[in-house]
Amino acid sequence: MSTRITDTTQAKSKKRLEPRKTPVQGRSRASVEAILTAAAQVFESHGYAAGTTNRIAERAGVSVGTLYQYFPSKEAIVVALLEEHLHETTRKLHEWVGHMVSLRHGLRDALTDYVQGIMEVHQTRPRLQHILLEEAPLPPRLHDLLMAADAEAVRTMGGLLRLYPEVGHADPESAAYLVIHTVESLTHRFAAHPDERLLDGPRFVVELVSMLEAYLSCPPGSGATRG
Amino acid sequence: MSTRITDTTQAKSKKRLEPRKTPVQGRSRASVEAILTAAAQVFESHGYAAGTTNRIAERAGVSVGTLYQYFPSKEAIVVALLEEHLHETTRKLHEWVGHMVSLRHGLRDALTDYVQGIMEVHQTRPRLQHILLEEAPLPPRLHDLLMAADAEAVRTMGGLLRLYPEVGHADPESAAYLVIHTVESLTHRFAAHPDERLLDGPRFVVELVSMLEAYLSCPPGSGATRG
DNA sequence: TGTTAACATGAGCTATTGCTCAGGTTATGT
DNA sequence: ACATAACCTGAGCAATAGCTCATGTTAACA
């Protein structure tokens, strides 16, 4: 689900990520909650670098000390936010798969559903997602998690594609790779820069679905001529 | 050509970007050159935040003072590097268009050429490009430049698509938007994370080209069934 | 050869940031 | 009511980064 680049050079993993205290009482759980929502807002409005821990604590209405009792580093906050996002996305994907196998739509309707679902994910706080996925440095563990989620999504999509007789592709896994990442990248971009003059939201979805459908269902080489 | 997100909140544009001195002698031009290549290397290997100006100067074999005589801020270095990249990409696109209108290939061959060209661009220092385009904060002026380059690329591609009778799409501009950004995003991702187990380089190109060709040439709705 | 402008140097200033810790406040359990 | 643990506070430390400037060196030109 990301376009993040593997970092082999500055992977120092110097900071601990596990909280030094786990909240047990009500007020501390509220603090943790407040810190996370504040962090999301602060990152969204200031970017990663300018999203200082002091600012986050201030916005959350707690002191920096409190923040560092539950998040041992700034990185840990990013990790927590990203894990939330990851769970949300995975949940949506599985929910969608469930709908598809039960509803037995045609390919086009299924793809439309999928694209719209991913669009929804990307339209909520696109800048935050961009910051978390592309701008903030990630510990290797989380990076692996993201890659694993990507791979799992590809396998799931591949399995689903096999259920559609319209799909004439020899290798559903490869096709799934293209589908997953095309939808991911394009919806992300469109959510960030909706070029309304050229293409409004609904038309964008139609175009994207058309491309996917043509790719999956068109016999290869049809309509092509050689120079 | 980017997936960068518009930043409306921290756009302070506090730093000047124009050099305070323009090199006139040979040695200073060499210094500027050295600084730029050093910056590219340092960003590539340390990331944006850890790519300090002192490190860049050290790597370039000059002092920080010299660096700041020609680049008034760290941001200015990023801008210079990105402008280089932008010119390079634009040049490649126009070169490709020239080839296409003169060679009069079929659609598939033309698309293959294009995808391979963009792949080449992304395979050289993908991490640096990622840092420049996604991680480093950009001044609004350069951001507008990137968006303008994107729009121009879409127009160019749209114009070219009209020349191919195989293209059965009603609106070449919208199709061009999808083509441009699909290729951009997917090749970028593939260059960064070449998942060789699932799809090697050449096969990736074939798949991507197949998708684009199917989208552009397949009559819409063929092979699709309704719910 | 002398004068000037271009160029180079690098110690260190200023500002900022992630983070700590010594000491307070609130809840829990008996 | 008392003791203990959970929780909170915020001034400030240590580290670091971007950047400056006083001073020294090299090239251009008369």
Side-chain angles (χ1 to χ4, degrees), chain A residues 133-156:
Chain A
L133 287 168
E134 319 283 353
E135 202 173 325
L138 290 194
R141 194 195 103 234
L142 199 63
H143 182 264
D144 293 347
L145 264 185
L146 287 172
M147 297 298 285
D150 267 12
E152 222 264 347
V154 168
R155 278 194 304 274
T156 304

Short mmCIF file of all heavy atoms in Angstrom, two decimals, chain A residues 133-156:
data_model
loop_
_atom_site.label_atom_id
_atom_site.label_comp_id
_atom_site.label_asym_id
_atom_site.label_seq_id
_atom_site.Cartn_x
_atom_site.Cartn_y
_atom_site.Cartn_z
N LEU A 133 3.56 7.75 5.30
CA LEU A 133 4.09 6.72 4.42
C LEU A 133 5.34 7.14 3.67
O LEU A 133 6.20 6.30 3.36
CB LEU A 133 3.02 6.30 3.41
CG LEU A 133 1.87 5.47 3.96
CD1 LEU A 133 0.74 5.36 2.96
CD2 LEU A 133 2.39 4.09 4.32
N GLU A 134 5.48 8.42 3.37
CA GLU A 134 6.57 8.83 2.50
C GLU A 134 7.58 9.72 3.19
O GLU A 134 8.75 9.71 2.83
CB GLU A 134 6.02 9.58 1.28
CG GLU A 134 4.77 9.00 0.67
CD GLU A 134 5.05 7.77 -0.16
OE1 GLU A 134 6.22 7.44 -0.38
OE2 GLU A 134 4.08 7.12 -0.58
N GLU A 135 7.14 10.50 4.14
CA GLU A 135 8.02 11.55 4.66
C GLU A 135 8.72 11.11 5.94
O GLU A 135 9.90 11.38 6.13
CB GLU A 135 7.18 12.81 4.92
CG GLU A 135 7.98 14.09 4.95
CD GLU A 135 7.08 15.31 5.03
OE1 GLU A 135 5.99 15.29 4.42
OE2 GLU A 135 7.46 16.28 5.71
N ALA A 136 7.98 10.46 6.80
CA ALA A 136 8.56 10.08 8.08
C ALA A 136 9.45 8.86 7.92
O ALA A 136 9.16 7.96 7.13
CB ALA A 136 7.45 9.78 9.08
N PRO A 137 10.55 8.83 8.65
CA PRO A 137 11.41 7.64 8.62
C PRO A 137 10.75 6.51 9.39
O PRO A 137 10.25 6.70 10.48
CB PRO A 137 12.69 8.11 9.32
CG PRO A 137 12.25 9.22 10.21
CD PRO A 137 11.08 9.87 9.54
N LEU A 138 10.75 5.34 8.80
CA LEU A 138 10.09 4.20 9.42
C LEU A 138 11.11 3.17 9.91
O LEU A 138 12.10 2.92 9.24
CB LEU A 138 9.14 3.53 8.43
CG LEU A 138 7.90 4.28 8.04
CD1 LEU A 138 6.93 3.36 7.34
CD2 LEU A 138 7.25 4.91 9.26
N PRO A 139 10.86 2.58 11.05
CA PRO A 139 11.70 1.48 11.51
C PRO A 139 11.49 0.28 10.60
O PRO A 139 10.41 0.10 10.05
CB PRO A 139 11.18 1.19 12.91
CG PRO A 139 9.78 1.69 12.90
CD PRO A 139 9.76 2.87 12.00
N PRO A 140 12.53 -0.53 10.43
CA PRO A 140 12.45 -1.68 9.50
C PRO A 140 11.25 -2.58 9.79
O PRO A 140 10.63 -3.10 8.86
CB PRO A 140 13.76 -2.42 9.77
CG PRO A 140 14.67 -1.40 10.33
CD PRO A 140 13.83 -0.45 11.10
N ARG A 141 10.95 -2.75 11.06
CA ARG A 141 9.85 -3.64 11.41
C ARG A 141 8.55 -3.20 10.73
O ARG A 141 7.84 -4.01 10.12
CB ARG A 141 9.65 -3.61 12.93
CG ARG A 141 8.76 -4.73 13.46
CD ARG A 141 8.30 -4.44 14.89
NE ARG A 141 6.94 -3.99 14.94
CZ ARG A 141 6.54 -2.86 15.53
NH1 ARG A 141 7.41 -2.08 16.11
NH2 ARG A 141 5.28 -2.53 15.52
N LEU A 142 8.27 -1.91 10.81
CA LEU A 142 7.02 -1.43 10.23
C LEU A 142 7.08 -1.46 8.72
O LEU A 142 6.08 -1.72 8.04
CB LEU A 142 6.73 -0.02 10.73
CG LEU A 142 5.27 0.35 10.55
CD1 LEU A 142 4.41 -0.57 11.41
CD2 LEU A 142 5.02 1.78 10.90
N HIS A 143 8.25 -1.18 8.21
CA HIS A 143 8.41 -1.26 6.77
C HIS A 143 8.09 -2.66 6.27
O HIS A 143 7.39 -2.84 5.27
CB HIS A 143 9.85 -0.88 6.40
CG HIS A 143 10.10 -0.87 4.94
ND1 HIS A 143 10.63 -1.95 4.29
CD2 HIS A 143 9.85 0.04 3.99
CE1 HIS A 143 10.72 -1.68 3.00
NE2 HIS A 143 10.25 -0.47 2.79
N ASP A 144 8.59 -3.65 6.98
CA ASP A 144 8.29 -5.04 6.62
C ASP A 144 6.79 -5.31 6.72
O ASP A 144 6.21 -6.00 5.88
CB ASP A 144 9.06 -5.99 7.53
CG ASP A 144 10.56 -5.89 7.29
OD1 ASP A 144 10.94 -5.29 6.27
OD2 ASP A 144 11.33 -6.41 8.11
N LEU A 145 6.18 -4.75 7.75
CA LEU A 145 4.73 -4.92 7.90
C LEU A 145 4.01 -4.39 6.67
O LEU A 145 3.09 -5.03 6.16
CB LEU A 145 4.25 -4.16 9.14
CG LEU A 145 4.10 -4.96 10.42
CD1 LEU A 145 3.49 -4.10 11.52
CD2 LEU A 145 3.20 -6.18 10.17
N LEU A 146 4.41 -3.21 6.22
CA LEU A 146 3.75 -2.63 5.06
C LEU A 146 3.94 -3.49 3.82
O LEU A 146 2.99 -3.74 3.08
CB LEU A 146 4.32 -1.23 4.80
CG LEU A 146 3.89 -0.15 5.78
CD1 LEU A 146 4.67 1.14 5.54
CD2 LEU A 146 2.40 0.12 5.65
N MET A 147 5.16 -3.95 3.63
CA MET A 147 5.41 -4.80 2.47
C MET A 147 4.61 -6.10 2.56
O MET A 147 4.08 -6.58 1.56
CB MET A 147 6.91 -5.12 2.38
CG MET A 147 7.80 -3.90 2.16
SD MET A 147 7.45 -3.06 0.60
CE MET A 147 8.22 -4.21 -0.56
N ALA A 148 4.54 -6.63 3.76
CA ALA A 148 3.78 -7.87 3.93
C ALA A 148 2.30 -7.63 3.63
O ALA A 148 1.64 -8.45 2.98
CB ALA A 148 3.95 -8.40 5.35
N ALA A 149 1.79 -6.49 4.09
CA ALA A 149 0.39 -6.17 3.82
C ALA A 149 0.16 -6.03 2.32
O ALA A 149 -0.85 -6.50 1.78
CB ALA A 149 0.01 -4.88 4.53
N ASP A 150 1.11 -5.40 1.64
CA ASP A 150 1.03 -5.29 0.20
C ASP A 150 0.95 -6.67 -0.44
O ASP A 150 0.08 -6.94 -1.28
CB ASP A 150 2.28 -4.57 -0.34
CG ASP A 150 2.05 -3.08 -0.47
OD1 ASP A 150 1.04 -2.60 0.05
OD2 ASP A 150 2.90 -2.42 -1.09
N ALA A 151 1.87 -7.54 -0.06
CA ALA A 151 1.92 -8.87 -0.66
C ALA A 151 0.63 -9.63 -0.38
O ALA A 151 0.08 -10.30 -1.27
CB ALA A 151 3.13 -9.64 -0.11
N GLU A 152 0.14 -9.49 0.84
CA GLU A 152 -1.09 -10.18 1.18
C GLU A 152 -2.26 -9.65 0.35
O GLU A 152 -3.11 -10.43 -0.12
CB GLU A 152 -1.38 -9.98 2.68
CG GLU A 152 -1.87 -11.21 3.39
CD GLU A 152 -3.39 -11.23 3.46
OE1 GLU A 152 -4.03 -10.18 3.18
OE2 GLU A 152 -3.94 -12.28 3.80
N ALA A 153 -2.28 -8.35 0.15
CA ALA A 153 -3.34 -7.77 -0.67
C ALA A 153 -3.28 -8.31 -2.09
O ALA A 153 -4.31 -8.62 -2.70
CB ALA A 153 -3.22 -6.25 -0.67
N VAL A 154 -2.06 -8.45 -2.60
CA VAL A 154 -1.90 -8.97 -3.96
C VAL A 154 -2.42 -10.41 -4.03
O VAL A 154 -3.15 -10.78 -4.96
CB VAL A 154 -0.42 -8.91 -4.39
CG1 VAL A 154 -0.20 -9.71 -5.66
CG2 VAL A 154 0.01 -7.47 -4.60
N ARG A 155 -2.05 -11.22 -3.04
CA ARG A 155 -2.54 -12.60 -3.05
C ARG A 155 -4.06 -12.66 -2.97
O ARG A 155 -4.72 -13.40 -3.70
CB ARG A 155 -1.93 -13.38 -1.87
CG ARG A 155 -0.53 -13.89 -2.14
CD ARG A 155 -0.13 -14.92 -1.09
NE ARG A 155 -0.22 -14.38 0.26
CZ ARG A 155 0.74 -13.69 0.87
NH1 ARG A 155 1.87 -13.45 0.23
NH2 ARG A 155 0.57 -13.24 2.09
N THR A 156 -4.61 -11.86 -2.06
CA THR A 156 -6.07 -11.85 -1.91
C THR A 156 -6.74 -11.45 -3.22
O THR A 156 -7.68 -12.12 -3.69
CB THR A 156 -6.48 -10.86 -0.81
OG1 THR A 156 -5.80 -11.21 0.40
CG2 THR A 156 -7.97 -10.90 -0.58
#
